[in-house]
Amino acid sequence: SSQMSNMTHSPYGILKSIGETYTRALKGLIVKFWNVYGVEHDPKKFHVITDFINMALTSKEIKMQTDGSEKRQFLHADDCSECLLKLSKIYNDIHRDKNLHITSYKWNSIYEVALIVSKIIGKEIKITPSKVSDTVQAGYLNEPDRYILNFWKPKIDLEDGIGKVIDELRFKK
């Protein structure tokens, strides 16, 4: 699922909530992914981090779709994979009434992400925020349940994770 499942103002959130209802009925686990990022080669699938990296590497400018003030919790795909492996090993021991939030537990603004990308690339990168504010998650900062931290903790901080993605993308070019 996603951390947006309680955002009933969004069709995406409603769809996630329906999925959680069915999962509970089947006695499954609710695992909520929070902005997992990693290397992505298909531009149609880019999200904010890979989009910013691509813009910085190709045009030396990060053109933001919002003003950048909205905050997210990002998690590197390697940490996510490690967590899912851990969950598979202890699946039968996990309380079914708990939501398992796979996240970094650290809030960063989208503008901060642009600054990190610019800093790591190390060239003059122009950052151009738009005048539009985020309307989907505006005012809805869900706090993740920390239950999962009893048996897993993220290891890769945002700057190191973005650096890994940039290095992998540069190497593949």
Side-chain angles (χ1 to χ4, degrees), residues 157-172:
D157 72 20
L158 185 59
E159 191 164 334
D160 290 341
I162 290 174
K164 285 178 73 158
V165 173
I166 290 169
D167 288 347
E168 288 179 50
L169 288 174
R170 281 181 171 160
F171 180 73
K172 301 241 183 208

Side-chain angles (χ1 to χ4, degrees), residues 47-131:
H47 291 279
V48 67
I49 290 177
T50 47
D51 198 29
F52 285 3
I53 291 168
N54 183 58
M55 283 188 265
L57 289 173
T58 59
S59 69
K60 309 295 185 255
E61 180 178 10
I62 297 172
K63 291 183 181 179
M64 300 170 64
Q65 295 182 11
T66 66
D67 63 9
S69 62
E70 69 276 18
K71 293 186 176 187
R72 304 280 188 274
Q73 293 187 23
F74 296 96
L75 185 73
H76 192 277
D78 289 350
D79 272 341
C80 183
S81 297
E82 180 185 298
C83 181
L84 290 171
L85 180 61
K86 177 69 175 181
L87 293 177
S88 73
K89 291 178 179 178
I90 61 171
Y91 182 81
N92 292 324
D93 300 325
I94 299 171
H95 296 286
R96 294 306 191 253
D97 62 334
K98 296 289 188 180
N99 289 323
L100 302 167
H101 293 255
I102 303 179
T103 183
S104 64
Y105 295 91
K106 294 183 179 145
W107 291 102
N108 292 93
S109 74
I110 299 302
Y111 190 78
E112 287 175 298
V113 171
L115 289 173
I116 292 169
V117 169
S118 175
K119 174 185 167 192
I120 293 171
I121 290 178
K123 298 176 182 170
E124 271 307 305
I125 305 296
K126 182 179 178 186
I127 299 172
T128 308
S130 89
K131 301 210 182 299

